[in-house]
Each structure stands twice: as C-alpha cells, then as structure tokens.
Amino acid sequence: MEKLLNTFKVLSDETRIRLLILLYHKRLCVCELCGVLGESQPKVSKHLAKLRDMGFVKDERKEQFIFYYLNMNNSVLITTLQNIICNIDEFPILAKDLKKLETAEEFIKECKAK
Amino acid sequence: MEKLLNTFKVLSDETRIRLLILLYHKRLCVCELCGVLGESQPKVSKHLAKLRDMGFVKDERKEQFIFYYLNMNNSVLITTLQNIICNIDEFPILAKDLKKLETAEEFIKECKAK
DNA sequence: TTTACATATACCCATATACGTATATTAACA
DNA sequence: TGTTAATATACGTATATGGGTATATGTAAA
C-alpha cells in the first residue's frame, strides 16, 4: 500500500511526470533532462533523487555523465505512464517535451563542447 | 494537466483511495463510509468534500442521508481504480474494506436505529 | 417549534513539500 | 595533483496537507 501511495505522490508533481514520460522513451543523462525540460539542474537532480530513492528509476554513470532510466518493476507506474502516453494530446506540455526529446543529443553535445 | 495532477494528488492519500474504491462498487452515504473505514466522521467528510470540490465524486441527499457516488468523467481516475482493483490482493486494506462493504447496510440501519 | 441526528466546516497544530541559492562531491583530464 | 565539469546535496523559506476537536448547518421527527 505504501508503494502504491508513493507511486501516486511521485506522479502528483508536474516536473516528475515530465521526467518519467521522457525516461519511458529513452535513457537520458541529467544535462539532457535539464535541456529538454528547460529546468534548473538542482531542481531536476532533486526530483531524480526522489525518484531514485523511491525505487522508480535507476542511474548509471558513463564517462562524465550519469544516465537515468526507468525501473520497470512497478506495474502501476508503468501502466499509468502508458495510459498518459495514449492520451498525450490532452497534455501539451508532455507532447512538447517528447518533440524536444528528438533533439536531446544536441544537449549532451553542448555539454561536451564547453 | 492540472486535472491529471489533481487526480494523482487525490490518489496519494490512503483514506481517499479507500473511499474511491468503495464508491467504485456502490453509492454510499457518509455514515456507511465511516462505518466501513472505521474512521471519524469529520475526517471522512473532509476527504469527501475534497473529492467533490475536485469533481471526482458527486453527492445527493436522500431523506436524512447524503449519498456519494463516483463521477465517471475522469478516465485516468477510473482506469487507475480498475487497475488497483485488478490487483486488489496486493492491498489487504482495500480487500478488507470490500469485504466489510458487503455489510454496509448494517451501518445505515444502525444510524436509523438510534 | 423544539429536539435530535447526519453531515459540513472552522480552527489549530504538526508535518511534508517544493523551490532557489549556495556549496559539496566526484570523476576526467591537463 | 590541481582544475574543470557534471551532478548531488544542504539550508532556508514559503506553502500545502492531514488530522483532531469543537461547532455550525440543515433536515426530520416529536
């Protein structure tokens, strides 16, 4: 029950839904997530930390970047995300994020270019 | 998006999930809900008020009782409740509530008996 | 029209949450 | 080994949330 409640708590924040929808499609590093969302690094990192602590995402370092990806062990979460994606047109912010996701590699290149 | 976030906020509270799962099965008055949940009347009423204000349930007076029932216009909510019910055995509290619901009429009879 | 009962609300408190800013950490590289 | 860059965390603050107790509201019955 605790996990169910936590799943919904996680989903009650716009930034976290945006992160989860992106991660549902692709494993991404923090700077890509910041770039796509247009949100500050501490804000994104803190939400990712919460998602990680609750066991909804996992992370893995690769060179200088830390990549996050969905932990698929939470069926309510996964089902819910799929449910949202099926109706993505009702949520323009999410649809816009996904469009921007197509250019996510740009952001990591930018990071490397600096 | 606002409505989506509100849907998950509503679902992040144990008392409200219990109420919604009960109301998914049957239209119930406040004293029945208090009886089945074993929770105080102000607590139940306040959560019902929140659900009503957000448009997730509706109410209707019948004699001295006020009956609550699900507003079926929120597909994410309904789908999610169904999803929970499909896995009800993972959530013993909810399963217990449903068993107790079979005797809900007892509670309204008790009210009238006073 | 007074009383009783079902339900709603107000008020207070404790706790949780989100955010921005500043700073710490860690790995890569010069 | 010192510096840079990516990411994480600490701290302070403002706000939201849930619960209990007391009380208000409104309908029903006496």
Side-chain angles (χ1 to χ4, degrees):
Chain A
M1 191 66 177
E2 198 60 26
K3 189 177 178 186
L4 185 71
L5 294 172
N6 282 338
T7 302
F8 294 128
K9 260 182 215 166
V10 150
L11 290 166
S12 341
D13 180 88
E14 180 170 294
T15 305
R16 285 193 297 261
I17 292 194
R18 295 173 74 195
L19 288 170
L20 289 168
I21 293 293
L22 289 176
L23 293 175
Y24 184 91
H25 290 83
K26 200 173 172 186
R27 163 183 302 228
L28 291 161
C29 74
V30 180
C31 72
E32 289 173 306
L33 290 166
C34 291
V36 174
L37 296 192
E39 298 283 358
S40 76
Q41 177 268 317
K43 182 169 171 177
V44 168
S45 273
K46 265 189 291 187
H47 284 296
L48 288 171
K50 184 166 267 187
L51 292 172
R52 190 203 330 115
D53 295 346
M54 289 188 167
F56 299 132
V57 303
K58 297 183 181 180
D59 62 338
E60 185 185 358
R61 178 177 283 271
K62 214 168 209 174
E63 299 162 32
Q64 65 265 62
F65 304 108
I66 296 180
F67 284 82
Y68 281 85
Y69 57 98
L70 275 190
N71 184 346
M72 301 302 282
N73 75 343
N74 183 333
S75 70
V76 170
L77 178 66
I78 301 303
T79 305
T80 304
L81 292 179
Q82 288 168 344
N83 192 3
I84 293 171
I85 290 165
C86 285
N87 301 285
I88 195 84
D89 293 331
E90 293 178 35
F91 314 111
I93 302 179
L94 304 180
K96 210 179 290 181
D97 286 345
L98 286 183
K99 209 160 256 175
K100 206 164 178 186
L101 175 60
E102 296 168 15
T103 68
E105 288 164 23
E106 308 270 326
F107 293 104
I108 202 169
K109 279 178 199 156
E110 269 177 44
C111 290
K112 286 183 175 171
K114 271 176 203 164
Chain B
M1 191 68 177
E2 198 60 28
K3 190 178 177 185
L4 185 70
L5 294 172
N6 282 337
T7 302
F8 294 128
K9 261 183 214 165
V10 150
L11 290 166
S12 342
D13 180 90
E14 179 170 296
T15 305
R16 286 194 295 264
I17 291 195
R18 295 173 73 194
L19 288 169
L20 289 168
I21 294 292
L22 290 174
L23 294 176
Y24 184 91
H25 289 84
K26 200 173 173 189
R27 163 184 303 228
L28 292 160
C29 74
V30 180
C31 72
E32 290 173 305
L33 289 167
C34 290
V36 174
L37 296 193
E39 297 284 357
S40 77
Q41 177 268 317
K43 180 169 171 176
V44 169
S45 273
K46 264 187 292 187
H47 283 297
L48 288 171
K50 185 167 267 189
L51 292 172
R52 192 205 326 117
D53 293 347
M54 289 188 168
F56 299 132
V57 303
K58 297 182 183 184
D59 62 339
E60 184 184 359
R61 179 176 282 271
K62 215 167 207 174
E63 299 164 31
Q64 67 263 62
F65 304 107
I66 297 181
F67 284 82
Y68 281 85
Y69 57 98
L70 275 190
N71 184 347
M72 302 301 283
N73 76 343
N74 183 333
S75 69
V76 171
L77 178 66
I78 302 303
T79 305
T80 304
L81 293 177
Q82 289 167 344
N83 191 3
I84 293 172
I85 290 164
C86 286
N87 301 286
I88 195 82
D89 293 331
E90 295 178 34
F91 314 110
I93 303 181
L94 303 180
K96 211 179 287 180
D97 287 344
L98 285 184
K99 211 160 252 174
K100 205 165 180 187
L101 176 60
E102 295 168 15
T103 68
E105 288 164 23
E106 308 268 328
F107 292 103
I108 201 168
K109 279 178 198 156
E110 271 177 39
C111 290
K112 286 183 176 171
K114 273 177 200 163

